[in-house]
Structure formats: structure tokens, C-alpha cells
Amino acid sequence: MKVVLQNLTKIFPSRDKKANKEVVAVNDFTFEIPDGQLVGLLGPSGCGKSTTLYMISGLQKPTSGKIFFGDDDVTELSTENRGIGLVFQNYALYPHMTVKQNILFPLQNLKGKDKLSKQEMLDRAFEAAKLVQIDELMDRKPSELSGGQQQRVAIARALVKMPRVLLLDEPLSNLDARLRLQTREEIRRIQKETGITTVFVTHDQEEAMSISDIIVVMKLGVVQQIGKPQAVYDDPQNLFVAKFLGTPPINVLEGKVSDGKVYIGEQVVMEVDGVEDQDVYIGIRPEGIEPHPQGVLECRLNNVEIMGRDASVVSTHDAALTPVVRAIISSDITVDTTAETVRFNIKPHKFFLFSKETEQRLYYEVKKHG
Amino acid sequence: MVDNKQQWKAWLYLSPAIVLLLVFTVWPIFNTLRMAFMEGYGNMAAIGGATFEFGVDNFLKVIEYKKFLQCLQNTAILCVATVPISTILALLIAVALNSIKPLQKTLQTIFFLPYVTNSIAIGMVFAAMFNIVGLKQGAGVADTWGIINNVIQFFGGEPINWINAGSSYVANMVVMIIYIVWNALPFKILILLGGLQSINKQYYDAAKVDGTRRGRVLTKITIPLLSPMLAYVIITGFIGGFKEYSSIIGIFGEIMGPADDAGRLNTMVGFVYDALERDRQGRASAAALILFAIILVVTLINNKVIKKRVHY
């Protein structure tokens, strides 16, 4: 089932009647989620990602715009008639029911021609439980389960009525780091196995990047960029997207373009074509710089953090807007840690220019780089 | 642990409360036990220098007394009828109040008013409402000005003699039950509304996503999640019900019944007061202990039944 959002807008009226400041939670969001894909809505808190999810679920009504499931316009349809499964951030499992009763609950609500026999319900419940691997825990109460198990129960409850669309609100935020890794793989597996179009919301870019087919980066209600995770990472359209994606985060420095030369301070770090003379922000991915004795960018060396497989060279630069300039290198490369400074060469495909005025990406062709 | 040298300070600060408790709680409890087991004990007689033998005679006298059984029956009927009715009504009103936004605060205040109003005063108002205020010459019962009978007449019904001389026991009880239920509602609504407002809204969102009908939301989600509050309200309701007394006074006055059958609606607590009035402290103490035993047993049963149904 594809999901189409058409000019979706949500405006919350101002709480303070005198100030009369409306809050535009989601602004003119248009996007088609292809059938059977896993889509991550990504952004910092207050960016409208949860509001978007709740509008798809029908728990919130859009101020304007339309929502389609397949070819059906569901904008005016109430939640229960949309055929969605929703997993809440804190799971909202009914605490007084066992796992089995929780999973059965949506099925027992069916009426009319959809009504199932007791045996059919049990079969479906066990099938859903097996899918998320909790069929051993059916007689426990939610309070007797770990966070990860509760999460699975919530997913089973959402899946048991075979929804057209599965929605997950911050599915991993209540889990500890190890469980988070495991569960995100699990969500990916379940989504692949069921083939249900799935939308999930997260503020954790790593989470979104690792399991989504498509990510949607949002900021203050406005969609910043939509695309495959790797494509968005490699080709951010503005400074916000560049800064938001990637751990460790991108290094941002102030600079200027003059006569086709990109300056950081007094140093020319690259020669480019196609960019007018102007002040710019320069974004360099940590994996995009490597130490080199004749490197084009000189920074003050702080220290080198070795993390097994790779190492991280931490340095500072006066023009940097980020606290440190960080380079991720293979731990085989040795860096003289006693030196005061370190020089880097720059890989051009990890080097982005943004207009200082609009923070939009400036595309260029490389003439010369070091 | 408080330093030993500082302990006298702690005792000093606690002493007002301890003294009050000793004088007004511990001593009376002990004294009740003592008097209950002294055969035929009376304060005046004791002052007069009489001595009393130790024994269970007081208890036997109380149980044999016909009036006592009447009091027990009245109390039991009031309890069994009013606790379920008032709990269910309070639940429905609380759920309704919780689901509306406009006027919620105003209605909450209105529903809470009986709680802060003197129960004797309310009783007198109820008495006036159910009363037959004067008879027209030769017209008999039919011409009354009590508002309830006026309403019944307006809808073409026969007026009922609710509480006046010649009224039936059933009519008296109906009035008492209506009054007690109404009087018990505010506290229960307050507790249940507080419980409802502390239930996480996401459970309702989840139920909505799953297309749960309203009745099912109430029985399968709201009531189980409210069960601790319901248990509290039911147990305190039974305890309060067994101590019913002032409500009868409020409506029927000191005679505890219609004019032609005084004492017909007397309760256990009323029985205790009556015995005290007649300088039979021994018998009053025995009745009080019996009442205590009944409340204890009922509460234990309540606890046992409810424990199976309180879900978390």
C-alpha cells in the first residue's frame, strides 16, 4: 500500500490568545511513500515528524492537505477505519492484560463480516507473536517484560490485524544501546517479512540511516530532503541536513570563495569552478580529511583517539564552527602526537560548500585539490 | 537514628499528638473493651459505688434485644443497596465528566457541593422534598406540597406517603437509599475522576487505533485501570455505610422513624447512642464491639474479593 501525502499542513492554534502566534507544526509536506518501503521521518524535536505520523494515523486531523492510502483518500476517515497499526513511543500496552490478551485485543474489536472465531483469533495472535519472537511469553503481564520484549509485544499488537500501514513512534528511544541495535535489525526483518509499508519517527540519525529505505529529514515543520539514506548523506542539500546526518558530525568551518579558490583563513584548500565569489560555510565529513605532511589544511593538534578499527584525530581551527575538527582515519596510519599542528588533505566528494546567506548547498566542479 | 541526647526533643515535639491520642483514642478503646465485659455496667451506677462482675452478659443482652436485630437489618440493607448504586453512578458521572471539556470545572464544583454541605441540613431539605406538607380538608394524602409527590402527580401518578405517619417501611428505605446515594456521590466522583485523569491518554489512543467501541473501552480499559480507586471507594463505602446514623436523623429526626413507628429506621450506631443515653455503657460498648467485628469481617471479605480484581 503506497501512502501519499499531498500538501499536508498542520497548524496548532496559539495557546496564548493575546499573542495569537500559531505554530506551524508541518508545512506543506508532499511525498509519496512507495509500497512496502520502510521510511524514517528524521529531525530534531519539534520538527513536526511525530505530528506527521499522527496525521497519517488519523489521531490528528491535518489543517489542510490530503492523505491517500493507495488510491483511497483517507483524510476524513477516522483512525479505526484506516487500517493502520501504531506502535507508541512508550508502547501503551494495557498493563492489566497478559501479552496474549494485549495481542488479541484488536481482533476482539472486529465486528460484522470481519469477526473471527476464537480459534482464528488465537492462531493469528500466535502467528504475530512468533513473528516478533515472543510466543514464549504469552501469559506474562507487560510489567514482567523487559523494554525490548514490551516493544515486540507492541509491534505484534499492531501487526495482528494485518494493517495496511504500520506506524512506529520513536520505536527505539526507550531501549538501552545494545537492545537498540538488536531491535532495529528486528524491525527491519519484520518489515521485510511482512512487506507492510512502514513509517517510523526518530530523532536519531544513525537509527534512521541504518534501517530505512528512504529517509525524510525535517526541520521546523519543513521537509529538508528526501532520499535514500546514503544519497542524503553523500549529497546534503543544505547545511542543516549535512550537520544532522553522520556520527561523528560533519566539521563545519567558515571560509570564502574568491577567484575560484576556496579559502579557510589564509589557506587555499581547493580550487573550484562554478561558484561565485562569496562567504561560505564549508562542511567536511570526518572521513573526508586525512593527515598528510604536505596537506592543505593546517590545524592545531589536540589528541588522537584510538578506537580499535579506526582512529580519530582531534584538532582545532580558528575558522571552525564546530568545537573540534575531527578526522576519522584507519588506525594503521600513524600520527605524530607530539607535534603542535597537523596538516590534512581533503577528499573532494566529502567536501561541501554552503552559501553563508541561505545555507543552501553550492555545487562546484573540482579544478585542483590537495 | 536520632542522637540519644536529641531524643527528648523528638518526644517533646510528639507529645501533644501522643497525649491527644492516648486520651481520646487509646483510652476509649481500652475503656470500651473493659465496659463491654462488665455485666450491666452503667456510669451512674459505677459512681454510685456499684460493682460489676466480669462476663459476656452485655453481648448476650444486645443480641437478644429485638431492636438490635432491627438496627442490624436496617444497616445491612442500606449498605448493600447504597454502595453498589453510588459506586456505579459515581463511575458513570466521573467518566462523563472526564470526557467533556467545556463546563467541566463548573460541573465538578456542582457535583462536589453536597460534600461540603452539612448532612443534617441536606437531610432536612430531603425531608421537605419527600414530605406531605399539610393536608387539604377531606382530600387525604392526594393533596401534598412535597416536590417529589408534586412531580409524581404531574406525571399522573399516585402520591406516595414517603416518610410521614403511616408510611411503609419500603417507602422509608427508598428515601434513605436515595439520600445516602446522593450524599455519597461527591467523594466517590472526586476519587474516581482523579483516577481517570491519571490514566495515560495513550491507552485510549491505542484503543482508538484498534477500533474499540466505547462500551468496551469502559469495561476493558477504563474500569480495570481504575480498579485500585474503585476498590478504595467500595471499601470505604461499606465502612461508612455501617456507620450510617446522621442521615436518618437528618430526615426522620431524633425519633429515627415515621411519627407512628419511632425507631423503625434505627441503625447500629443509633443503637449505641440510645444505650449510652440510658446509662447502659456496658451494653453500648458490647454493641460497638459487635459493629467493629462486622466491619472488620466485611472489609476482609472485600479485600479478598477485590484483590482478585485489582489488576496491578
Side-chain angles (χ1 to χ4, degrees):
Chain A
M1 186 69 52
K2 70 174 182 187
V3 175
V4 183
L5 311 178
Q6 218 174 64
N7 307 104
L8 203 60
T9 301
K10 177 73 183 180
I11 298 169
F12 288 111
S14 150
R15 242 176 254 157
D16 181 4
K17 275 179 189 147
K18 277 179 206 152
N20 207 22
K21 261 198 217 143
E22 291 173 331
V23 178
V24 183
V26 179
N27 195 353
D28 200 23
F29 187 172
T30 299
F31 177 43
E32 181 176 326
I33 301 167
D35 183 27
Q37 300 264 291
L38 180 59
V39 175
L41 299 179
L42 176 64
S45 54
C47 74
K49 56 193 192 298
S50 285
T51 308
T52 306
L53 191 85
Y54 283 111
M55 283 195 284
I56 300 175
S57 79
L59 288 173
Q60 281 180 9
K61 292 260 167 285
T63 309
S64 65
K66 284 190 181 312
I67 301 167
F68 296 88
F69 286 0
D71 296 324
D72 307 341
D73 183 351
V74 299
T75 318
E76 295 300 320
L77 213 56
S78 61
T79 302
E80 59 268 29
N81 297 324
R82 288 193 184 188
I84 53 141
L86 178 56
V87 177
F88 290 88
Q89 184 170 3
N90 56 8
Y91 319 137
L93 296 175
Y94 306 122
H96 54 287
M97 298 184 196
T98 62
V99 170
K100 187 159 74 186
Q101 287 167 329
N102 262 291
I103 300 175
L104 280 173
F105 195 75
L107 297 179
Q108 289 162 342
N109 288 331
L110 299 174
K111 53 188 171 186
K113 62 177 170 54
D114 300 327
K115 210 170 156 73
L116 300 171
S117 74
K118 276 223 169 85
Q119 193 54 46
E120 282 172 309
M121 285 190 209
L122 274 177
D123 290 347
R124 288 263 291 268
F126 270 96
E127 198 184 319
K130 272 213 185 75
L131 185 68
V132 298
Q133 297 168 352
I134 46 152
D135 45 323
E136 308 274 298
L137 309 170
M138 290 297 255
D139 293 318
R140 297 230 194 137
K141 290 268 177 73
S143 57
E144 297 161 347
L145 301 177
S146 69
Q149 289 167 334
Q150 289 184 27
Q151 166 76 280
R152 286 155 190 253
V153 177
I155 294 175
R157 186 176 68 178
L159 286 175
V160 73
K161 54 184 178 171
M162 302 183 183
R164 299 198 280 180
V165 179
L166 180 63
L167 306 169
L168 305 154
D169 186 10
E170 298 267 5
L172 306 177
S173 62
N174 284 354
L175 305 176
D176 62 54
R178 180 184 281 270
L179 213 54
R180 203 173 293 180
L181 269 171
Q182 235 177 55
T183 309
R184 76 185 192 203
E185 295 310 318
E186 196 72 352
I187 290 175
R188 183 68 183 149
R189 175 185 69 79
I190 293 163
Q191 195 271 334
K192 279 271 168 278
E193 269 183 56
T194 56
I196 295 175
T197 309
T198 303
V199 183
F200 80 102
V201 155
T202 180
H203 61 269
D204 182 342
Q205 55 86 24
E206 203 182 326
E207 197 175 300
M209 302 261 298
S210 59
I211 61 171
S212 311
D213 292 315
I214 300 171
I215 59 171
V216 177
V217 184
M218 299 179 74
K219 177 194 172 191
L220 296 172
V222 181
V223 174
Q224 304 292 310
Q225 194 168 350
I226 298 175
K228 291 206 162 77
Q230 193 63 46
V232 176
Y233 180 80
D234 287 340
D235 189 13
Q237 280 168 13
N238 61 39
L239 185 62
F240 173 80
V241 175
K243 283 205 286 199
F244 199 73
L245 295 186
T247 37
I250 195 166
N251 302 304
V252 182
L253 302 102
E254 279 183 303
K256 64 175 184 207
V257 176
S258 176
D259 261 349
K261 294 191 177 82
V262 182
Y263 288 90
I264 296 177
E266 296 301 313
Q267 297 165 305
V268 175
V269 292
M270 198 172 289
E271 287 180 33
V272 296
D273 254 349
V275 181
E276 286 176 27
D277 290 2
Q278 60 187 299
D279 287 341
V280 292
Y281 290 120
I282 296 164
I284 315 170
R285 294 278 180 212
E287 68 273 24
I289 49 177
E290 53 187 3
H292 192 276
Q294 280 83 47
V296 290
L297 178 65
E298 186 178 33
C299 296
R300 287 186 303 276
L301 180 65
N302 278 15
N303 58 308
V304 178
E305 296 167 1
I306 312 243
M307 292 167 297
R309 187 169 33 112
D310 43 38
S312 169
V313 180
V314 184
S315 57
T316 53
H317 193 283
D318 288 336
L321 295 172
T322 42
V324 294
V325 175
R326 188 181 286 271
I328 302 285
I329 55 171
S330 159
S331 53
D332 301 341
I333 303 172
T334 50
V335 177
D336 178 11
T337 52
T338 59
E340 295 255 318
T341 60
V342 59
R343 299 189 78 90
F344 295 109
N345 269 343
I346 297 171
K347 294 176 189 166
H349 64 286
K350 299 283 182 187
F351 179 90
F352 311 120
L353 296 180
F354 303 95
S355 153
K356 195 162 190 174
E357 217 181 308
T358 63
E359 301 195 353
Q360 292 300 310
R361 177 85 175 274
L362 299 168
Y363 291 92
Y364 60 83
E365 276 170 39
V366 183
K367 274 201 323 207
K368 188 175 164 223
H369 70 89
Chain B
M1 210 38 218
V2 185
D3 195 311
N4 265 342
K5 278 179 193 162
Q6 298 287 316
Q7 266 194 13
W8 68 272
K9 266 190 185 170
W11 285 111
L12 179 69
Y13 298 147
L14 282 171
S15 56
I18 290 175
V19 169
L20 286 174
L21 276 172
L22 283 175
V23 174
F24 292 107
T25 307
V26 178
W27 166 247
I29 290 174
F30 169 76
N31 204 22
T32 305
L33 273 168
R34 188 180 70 97
M35 292 187 296
F37 289 98
M38 285 165 81
E39 296 196 339
Y41 182 91
N43 263 348
M44 287 302 153
I47 290 165
T51 51
F52 309 99
E53 279 179 48
F54 178 85
V56 293
D57 189 52
N58 286 329
F59 291 91
L60 295 176
K61 281 267 161 48
V62 167
I63 294 167
E64 281 166 11
Y65 199 39
K66 221 183 95 205
K67 279 252 153 77
F68 177 77
L69 292 179
Q70 178 71 38
C71 292
L72 191 59
Q73 183 196 323
N74 290 339
T75 309
I77 291 174
L78 289 179
C79 257
V80 170
T82 58
V83 172
I85 296 174
S86 62
T87 306
I88 291 168
L89 274 180
L91 178 67
L92 295 178
I93 292 171
V95 169
L97 263 182
N98 194 38
S99 63
I100 53 167
K101 282 245 162 61
L103 291 179
Q104 192 191 34
K105 287 270 176 276
T106 317
L107 287 171
Q108 224 171 310
T109 311
I110 291 172
F111 279 111
F112 197 63
L113 274 180
Y115 192 73
V116 291
T117 312
N118 184 306
S119 65
I120 300 287
I122 300 172
M124 290 168 79
V125 172
F126 263 71
M129 285 165 66
F130 284 95
N131 210 352
I132 301 164
V133 188
L135 299 175
K136 271 190 187 168
Q137 282 248 309
V141 172
D143 285 308
T144 71
W145 297 309
I147 191 165
I148 302 290
N149 273 337
N150 282 348
V151 170
I152 291 175
Q153 271 181 314
F154 180 79
F155 288 104
E158 279 291 305
I160 295 164
N161 186 350
W162 291 107
I163 56 174
N164 298 72
S167 58
S168 70
Y169 180 70
V170 174
N172 296 164
M173 271 298 171
V174 169
V175 173
M176 284 320 303
I177 288 167
I178 292 173
Y179 168 73
I180 293 171
V181 165
W182 185 78
N183 205 16
L185 280 180
F187 177 70
K188 292 188 165 121
I189 292 173
L190 185 77
I191 298 287
L192 296 180
L193 193 61
L196 283 173
Q197 283 169 350
S198 68
I199 294 178
N200 191 336
K201 298 272 174 296
Q202 284 209 326
Y203 294 129
Y204 294 107
D205 278 344
K208 205 170 168 198
V209 169
D210 293 338
T212 320
R213 286 173 307 259
R214 287 184 68 169
R216 232 172 104 76
V217 171
L218 182 68
T219 54
K220 295 285 173 187
I221 297 172
T222 304
I223 290 177
L225 290 177
L226 209 54
S227 54
M229 281 75 184
L230 280 169
Y232 172 72
V233 157
I234 289 170
I235 290 174
T236 54
F238 268 106
I239 293 173
F242 275 104
K243 297 197 302 189
E244 208 57 68
Y245 173 62
S246 59
S247 54
I248 318 271
I249 299 259
I251 288 182
F252 291 95
E254 268 185 286
I255 59 168
M256 303 294 279
D260 61 333
D261 193 358
R264 181 161 83 188
L265 295 169
N266 207 353
T267 60
M268 304 271 286
V269 173
F271 182 91
V272 173
Y273 283 147
D274 287 348
L276 285 177
E277 242 173 34
R278 272 181 259 121
D279 197 36
R280 294 186 188 275
Q281 280 79 10
R283 210 172 280 180
S285 301
L289 285 179
I290 292 173
L291 177 59
F292 168 71
I294 293 173
I295 292 179
L296 186 67
V297 169
V298 169
T299 306
L300 288 178
I301 294 170
N302 260 333
N303 257 339
K304 205 150 189 131
V305 174
I306 284 165
K307 219 170 221 161
K308 281 190 197 146
R309 289 180 172 73
V310 172
H311 289 288
Y312 64 104

